[in-house]
Amino acid sequence: MATELEELVGFLSSPSPQITKAAVDIVRGLTGSDDGLHALANYANTVLPSLSRLLTAPKEVSEPAAEALVNLSQNSDLAEQMVQMGLVKSAMDVLYKPESGITRLLVMLLVNLTQLDAGTASLLQTEDDKVHGLFVMKLVRSFCRNSSESHDDPFDHVGSILVNISQQQAGRQLLLDPKRGLLKQIIRQFDSNSSLRKKGVAGTIRNCCFEAENQLQNLLLVSEFLWPALLLPVAGNKIYNEQDRSKMPLELGSALSIEREPVNDPEIRIQTLEAIYLISLQDAGRRAFWSVNGPKIVQVGYEDEEDPKVMGAYEQLGSLLVNSSGTEEPSNETIN
């Protein structure tokens, strides 16, 4: 005899819209607790496909179904099952349907699924050369096109997806491919007022810099946007004098000639310092850093810094610059 939970899961596939609506609302409620998640996990082979099919239903059904999937995907075993059943592709297909009203939830679902290697591979479409990277290109285009001052941008969380995929070499290579131009588009989103976007961009840049040894040239191809994104968060609060600014690119010097909003999130400052460090491990990267008067900027930023973890990141970079200064520029331009 079927249990109440078995009957409930079965109602997700009911031909009656009213019964389906009631069932999906109850399932969504269950996913909000650990006990409910554990109970539903026992019926994953039925509940996950049923919820996935409901993503194309009218919003009053698709929204609770998507919320339930987001909650369930926080369990790594259930997320693995979702990836295996093709939910990354399903989510992308629904995401770009004109009538879809659950964009934010689908993006959040993709954030959770791309925390798995298999989920990242699925989003990168690594198994099919004909469409490889198409999903990521669509997401980047949406991430950039929908940038606004709104606090309810459904594509804000794409930044977290980009951080996830850039943790894999295949993802970094895709983002650094100069023919696609994705990194340039992503970096320009650092100007957003959204802290979520800024953190996503900073984390993505930092991860991409792990390829600096082999792809430094591709990183420096976007240096016009890269150096302001990396240096402005760690430049401190000082308005720089004309002499210091004269050694910087126009974009960077202009930004440092006026009062500016500080980047208050210490994680972003750490990520940008780590990115600079990874670039500066390479001789050509270090020369590029000197060419924009970078050491002076981090010296001043260090003097203003109060967070001990961020100070540690400054000191790691400063130690590298001091130890390599014999082949570069005068050491009085580095952190003392």
Side-chain angles (χ1 to χ4, degrees):
M1 185 174 178
T3 66
E4 289 185 4
L5 193 54
E6 283 178 313
E7 290 184 347
L8 173 64
V9 170
F11 288 148
L12 291 173
S13 301
S14 169
S16 166
Q18 291 84 2
I19 293 176
T20 301
K21 164 65 174 165
V24 75
D25 283 341
I26 295 171
V27 169
R28 173 180 56 180
L30 288 172
T31 64
S33 70
D34 290 339
D35 289 344
L37 283 171
H38 181 73
L40 287 169
N42 294 321
Y43 301 93
N45 290 338
T46 302
V47 74
L48 295 181
S50 297
L51 290 172
S52 177
R53 286 192 294 269
L54 294 178
L55 293 177
T56 57
K59 187 175 180 180
E60 61 267 19
V61 171
S62 64
E63 186 170 64
E67 288 179 5
L69 285 169
V70 170
N71 291 339
L72 289 164
S73 66
Q74 295 177 58
N75 177 297
S76 59
D77 291 335
L78 295 177
E80 192 77 48
Q81 284 187 250
M82 293 182 196
V83 172
Q84 291 174 358
M85 61 183 266
L87 193 52
V88 169
K89 183 181 185 304
S90 298
M92 286 296 299
D93 289 344
V94 176
L95 182 62
Y96 286 98
K97 289 184 181 297
E99 67 273 16
S100 176
I102 53 173
T103 299
R104 175 178 290 277
L105 291 167
L106 291 172
V107 172
M108 292 174 67
L109 177 61
L110 290 170
V111 171
N112 290 347
L113 297 183
T114 53
Q115 290 181 26
L116 303 174
D117 289 350
T120 290
S122 184
L123 188 69
L124 291 171
Q125 300 163 286
T126 54
E127 299 300 319
D128 190 342
D129 290 340
K130 293 181 180 178
V131 295
H132 173 56
L134 181 60
F135 284 164
V136 175
M137 292 176 69
K138 283 185 173 182
L139 287 171
V140 169
R141 189 181 306 121
S142 298
F143 183 58
C144 298
R145 180 186 300 155
N146 288 275
S147 176
S148 68
E149 303 309 312
S150 169
H151 294 292
D152 192 34
D153 184 347
F155 286 98
D156 268 355
H157 288 275
V158 168
S160 300
I161 297 174
L162 297 173
V163 171
N164 290 344
I165 67 170
S166 61
Q167 290 176 350
Q168 303 294 322
Q169 186 177 42
R172 295 192 293 268
Q173 290 176 343
L174 176 68
L175 296 177
L176 284 165
D177 184 349
K179 293 179 181 178
R180 298 181 187 262
L182 297 177
L183 186 60
K184 179 179 177 180
Q185 297 176 56
I186 294 165
I187 292 174
R188 295 176 74 172
Q189 291 304 302
F190 198 79
D191 290 337
S192 169
N193 287 335
S194 165
S195 60
L196 185 59
R197 277 178 178 265
K198 282 183 181 291
K199 186 175 291 188
V201 173
T204 302
I205 296 172
R206 179 252 192 191
N207 289 345
C208 284
C209 287
F210 278 102
E211 296 294 317
E213 182 177 1
N214 301 314
Q215 297 217 44
L216 181 64
Q217 190 58 42
N218 288 337
L219 279 165
L220 296 181
L221 279 174
V222 294
S223 59
E224 175 185 358
F225 307 99
L226 180 66
W227 289 124
L230 294 181
L231 286 166
L232 290 178
V234 296
N237 301 320
K238 174 185 175 183
I239 295 177
Y240 285 63
N241 62 44
E242 187 175 350
Q243 181 181 0
D244 288 336
R245 298 198 314 269
S246 68
K247 301 175 185 178
M248 303 174 190
L250 180 61
E251 299 81 6
L252 195 54
S254 297
L256 294 176
S257 68
I258 57 176
E259 292 186 8
R260 53 200 178 275
E261 288 291 324
V263 175
N264 293 320
D265 190 330
E267 185 177 345
I268 292 176
R269 300 200 299 279
I270 290 172
Q271 288 173 335
T272 55
L273 287 164
E274 289 177 344
I276 297 168
Y277 177 83
L278 292 166
I279 291 172
S280 298
L281 284 173
Q282 312 305 315
D283 289 343
R286 209 156 49 246
R287 288 194 294 271
F289 183 56
W290 278 103
S291 73
V292 298
N293 207 11
K296 179 63 178 181
I297 294 173
V298 296
Q299 180 186 33
V300 173
Y302 179 70
E303 292 168 355
D304 287 344
E305 186 58 58
E306 297 179 355
D307 187 288
K309 291 184 179 179
V310 183
M311 291 176 73
Y314 274 108
E315 289 160 7
Q316 179 188 44
L317 174 59
S319 178
L320 172 65
L321 297 175
V322 169
N323 291 334
S324 62
S325 62
T327 58
E328 306 294 340
E329 294 285 339
S331 61
N332 62 3
E333 289 290 296
T334 64
I335 297 172
N336 295 318

